Amino acid sequence: RARSNGKNSYLLFDGQMKLELLEKRKLEEDMKEAFANEDFDLHYQQQVHVPSGSVKGYEALLRWEHPCGTFIPPSDWIPLAEETGHIVAIGDWVLRKACLTAKRWHDDARNAFTMSVNISALQLMQPDFADRVLAIVAETGLNPCLLILELTETLLIQSMETSKNQLNQIRERGVRIALDDFGKGFSSLSYIKQLPIDIVKIDKSFLDHIEHSLVDRAVVESIISLVQRIDMEVVAEGVEDQEQLRILQEIGCHYVQGYYYSRPQPEHIAFPGNAFVS
Ligand code: C2E
Ligand code: MG
Ligand code: MG
Ligand code: MG
């Protein structure tokens, strides 16, 4: 009896694993199809210069609306796109589209909005990463000074030297590099020491309780004074209410991004130039 119980639970476990694999395979199939059908889209979220209240630029964020009408959040499928390598082609598509949008907005508004694009570690690990980025920028006609690449700390430590070379090639042409989700990982400080970084984005988790937590406030204050001392720019992300904004102003953080100002919006809504039209 014990043996058959063991067998049953093995079968159950096996069945669950198969189900998970099937779901993953299905998701991967759907993802490939969505890419081929151009079901992906980019939304854009403002980054605001608080003292002047003006929009400094935008972050492009991938959106996938499944044909059945549900929106599948990036956190649910980008890891799979990374695991399967699809993120490299998707990443090129994102970069091209974001650059084209930025170029058009720049031409329409005659204003120098920056465009921030998220880059996966797998993209950065491609030996021709710098060439690809620079080719796409050139092809779209965007001034490279308006482009910002956002990287997270998931980069592999051992590829640090290669990453550094790739990033330096891109920076030589005026593109800037931002370190995303700063403080969330374990090696944030060693990254800003070793990689050519221009901008640091403070992770939302430090702002969530900044009104009540002296520790979080102290951490954010320290990050800001550190970053400004080494001439980097700092952006606080995930600012949702006025009290958070007030504290950030008090601390001297000039750039913020968050629902308080605006959610990520489709292209035709995100661009303030359109406000004059309607
Ligand atoms: P991220 O780059 O840190 O982007 C910021 C995320 O915070 C976005 O989530 C944005 O919608 C959300 N956010 C902004 N302000 C607020 C706020 O005030 N409150 C709250 N609760 N959330 C806020 P989203 O769009 O779901 O994207 C999640 C992550 O997926 C991104 O984090 C990024 O790591 C990844 N991602 C998105 N688009 C791309 C892409 O094109 N390529 C790659 N490789 N990754 C992407
Ligand atoms: Mg980002
Ligand atoms: Mg972030
Ligand atoms: Mg992130």
Side-chain angles (χ1 to χ4, degrees):
R1 194 169 291 163
R3 185 176 286 171
S4 90
N5 272 349
K7 201 174 173 191
N8 279 342
S9 62
Y10 170 74
L11 279 174
L12 185 68
F13 177 59
D14 191 36
Q16 259 169 2
M17 285 214 317
K18 271 193 191 134
L19 193 68
E20 260 172 37
L21 269 176
L22 268 176
E23 279 172 355
K24 245 180 158 175
R25 287 257 303 268
K26 171 86 171 76
L27 187 65
E28 191 189 348
E29 284 308 311
D30 287 356
M31 194 171 73
K32 272 159 69 178
E33 205 176 301
F35 188 51
N37 295 343
E38 297 184 46
D39 283 342
F40 291 138
D41 198 6
L42 292 182
H43 282 195
Y44 302 91
Q45 187 179 31
Q46 297 178 352
Q47 296 179 333
V48 178
H49 180 243
V50 182
S52 65
S54 59
V55 177
K56 159 201 173 285
Y58 295 84
E59 177 176 4
L61 295 156
L62 250 177
R63 293 294 178 259
W64 173 16
E65 200 184 321
H66 197 271
C68 72
T70 40
F71 160 72
I72 310 183
S75 53
D76 282 4
W77 61 277
I78 287 182
L80 183 64
E82 288 172 336
E83 205 178 296
T84 53
H86 295 304
I87 196 69
V88 176
I90 296 173
D92 279 357
W93 178 87
V94 169
L95 184 62
R96 183 172 291 110
K97 188 164 170 75
C99 287
L100 283 170
T101 301
K103 164 80 171 131
R104 195 163 48 244
W105 288 355
H106 175 255
D107 291 350
D108 287 357
R110 296 163 195 268
N111 206 338
F113 299 119
T114 58
M115 181 60 78
S116 297
V117 177
N118 292 287
I119 299 291
S120 150
L122 194 69
Q123 288 173 266
L124 181 56
M125 279 156 60
Q126 305 299 305
D128 60 346
F129 176 70
D131 296 337
R132 292 166 92 113
V133 169
L134 293 174
I136 291 172
V137 175
E139 175 199 310
T140 61
L142 181 69
N143 178 348
C145 298
L146 297 180
L147 180 65
I148 297 167
L149 303 183
E150 295 195 358
L151 313 172
T152 52
E153 289 174 30
T154 51
L155 308 169
L156 298 172
I157 268 290
Q158 62 261 38
S159 66
M160 197 74 105
E161 272 312 305
T162 340
S163 306
K164 207 163 129 180
N165 292 336
Q166 300 267 0
L167 294 177
N168 277 328
Q169 283 179 52
I170 296 170
R171 276 176 95 228
E172 265 165 33
R173 307 285 279 276
V175 177
R176 278 170 292 167
I177 311 296
L179 191 56
D180 208 346
D181 305 341
F182 186 83
K184 196 177 162 192
F186 295 107
S187 39
S188 305
L189 290 177
S190 99
Y191 279 89
I192 57 167
K193 189 170 141 67
Q194 293 179 68
L195 288 174
I197 307 288
D198 305 283
I199 299 157
V200 157
K201 296 187 76 177
I202 301 179
D203 192 64
K204 178 181 185 308
S205 59
F206 294 107
L207 304 177
D208 286 340
H209 310 288
I210 199 166
E211 300 106 306
H212 317 291
S213 164
L214 286 176
V215 174
D216 286 357
R217 185 181 163 133
V219 170
V220 173
E221 267 177 354
S222 310
I223 295 175
I224 289 170
S225 70
L226 166 79
V227 164
Q228 287 171 349
R229 245 180 103 169
I230 49 182
D231 282 332
M232 291 180 190
E233 217 170 73
V234 61
V235 180
E237 69 176 347
V239 177
E240 291 181 346
D241 59 53
Q242 192 147 26
E243 184 59 9
Q244 290 173 329
L245 185 67
R246 191 191 60 75
I247 294 170
L248 287 167
Q249 277 178 290
E250 217 171 85
I251 298 175
C253 180
H254 296 329
Y255 295 106
V256 306
Q257 182 182 340
Y259 293 174
Y260 178 74
Y261 280 105
S262 107
R263 290 189 174 246
Q265 309 268 26
E267 187 177 329
H268 64 284
I269 299 176
F271 182 50
N274 289 356
F276 302 114
V277 180
S278 59

